[in-house]
Amino acid sequence: MPGFSIRTYGSAVLRKRCKPLKKITDEDRRVLENMVHAMIASKGLGLAAPQVGIGKRLVVMLAGSEVLKLVNPCIYKRKGRIVMKEGCLSFPGIFADIRRSREVQFGALNEKGDKLKIKAAELAARIIQHEIDHLNGVLFCDRMGIIDKIKMRKALRDLKKQTESSK
Ligand code: CO
């Protein structure tokens, strides 16, 4: 089974707003399974479908010792704010402090189409916010503070160039 390769900053697909799924097919379930493999192989904590070149609202993530496969995830409640160091598999070697909600409640479907309601705090809350951003074409560099944006400018520009030249 061919694995997914992870798209890096500069790939057009990372800037697309993904479409919600109307129904979940076997192909979608295969995509979710392959995304789990890609996430674990790259030692990531979460992965969104556009990061493997697929413009659908699919996310996989770690929540404690569990692996969640989420379809059409959507946050409906937020509480508190917290700044934490964050990275992204599409930005190898780049880390920055990002301010996000401390706790969130979100809904999603699982791969069978059952409705899930999940309360997440701290790391899990951070991961789901980061991954839902991906589904909207929003990247963590968009949320960096001005100081980090300046500090990371060269690294970001280099990564973008490298991505564009490897096409
Ligand atoms: Co990411």
Side-chain angles (χ1 to χ4, degrees):
M1 183 170 63
F4 283 138
S5 65
I6 294 184
R7 308 301 166 91
T8 48
Y9 180 54
S11 295
V13 66
L14 292 179
R15 285 304 190 184
K16 291 224 172 90
R17 191 182 167 84
C18 301
K19 292 220 175 82
L21 284 80
K22 289 195 182 117
K23 60 177 189 142
I24 306 162
T25 64
D26 286 341
E27 172 61 18
D28 297 321
R29 282 182 274 272
R30 268 195 296 276
V31 167
L32 284 164
E33 187 57 27
N34 284 338
M35 284 170 63
V36 170
H37 290 302
M39 172 180 75
I40 289 169
S42 340
K43 299 187 165 55
L45 304 175
L47 190 66
Q51 292 182 279
V52 293
I54 294 170
K56 289 184 174 181
R57 299 187 85 83
L58 298 171
V59 162
V60 299
M61 62 175 278
L62 298 180
S65 56
E66 253 188 291
V67 176
L68 300 180
K69 295 174 180 169
L70 305 170
V71 177
N72 298 341
C74 181
I75 292 170
Y76 57 85
K77 208 167 177 185
R78 299 172 175 274
K79 210 168 125 191
R81 302 291 280 168
I82 186 173
V83 174
M84 274 174 71
K85 192 66 85 188
E86 201 171 304
C88 177
L89 291 176
S90 297
F91 292 77
I94 296 176
F95 299 89
D97 288 327
I98 308 288
R99 181 189 299 272
R100 294 193 187 271
S101 301
R102 182 188 292 271
E103 290 175 35
V104 297
Q105 288 180 44
F106 66 95
L109 300 177
N110 68 12
E111 61 182 331
K112 293 179 220 146
D114 305 322
K115 277 190 187 148
L116 306 175
K117 274 180 123 179
I118 298 176
K119 223 175 169 168
E122 309 299 335
L123 186 58
R126 177 151 297 259
I127 298 169
I128 190 64
Q129 290 172 79
H130 177 114
E131 302 312 331
I132 289 177
D133 269 356
H134 274 299
L135 303 183
N136 296 325
V138 175
L139 300 172
F140 91 131
C141 57
D142 305 334
R143 297 199 182 277
M144 285 179 190
I146 185 70
I147 304 291
D148 275 338
K149 263 189 190 149
I150 292 166
K151 269 199 283 190
M152 308 289 171
R153 189 154 38 190
K154 185 177 185 306
L156 289 171
R157 202 174 44 210
D158 289 350
L159 176 57
K160 198 171 190 177
K161 258 192 231 157
Q162 196 189 320
T163 299
E164 283 164 356
S165 67
S166 67
K167 262 187 239 160

